[in-house]
Amino acid sequence: MFPGIDSMPVRLAIACGFGWETLTMTNHPIHLHGHHFTVSCTDGGWVPETAQWPETTTDVSVGAVRAIDFKADCAWRLGVPLPTSHITR
């Protein structure tokens, strides 16, 4: 795990998701190693399930919001190497 970074422990085959808002003056990419996800919300609002798109990385620009959903299908901890002030669970 990254030093000083909290993990988000999940069980295998569990549906997971989290939201992200960039509060700094720098874009922040979200990349989940070993996972693919769908973008389910943008700063424009919730995306209907039929319009969600698959990604392995998404960039959250300054002041923007993203929420992603994924299935925990890898047997390791999910580390999000950014300050927790960016994460809304």
Side-chain angles (χ1 to χ4, degrees):
M1 222 48 244
F2 303 100
I5 302 296
D6 292 336
S7 63
M8 189 170 89
V10 297
R11 294 184 182 184
L12 282 174
I14 297 294
C16 304
F18 62 87
W20 195 282
E21 179 179 3
T22 300
L23 303 175
T24 65
M25 297 306 294
T26 308
N27 289 16
H28 290 288
I30 299 172
H31 177 77
L32 304 181
H33 293 271
H35 294 279
H36 59 277
F37 56 84
T38 57
V39 177
S40 56
C41 183
T42 69
D43 36 319
W46 291 101
V47 179
E49 190 171 339
T50 55
Q52 295 176 10
W53 62 96
E55 291 285 359
T56 57
T57 302
T58 189
D59 191 40
V60 185
S61 60
V62 175
V65 174
R66 292 289 178 276
I68 63 171
D69 295 312
F70 63 98
K71 186 172 184 179
D73 54 5
C74 295
W76 61 72
R77 284 194 247 178
L78 172 64
V80 181
L82 282 174
T84 54
S85 63
H86 295 8
I87 303 170
T88 57
R89 298 178 189 189

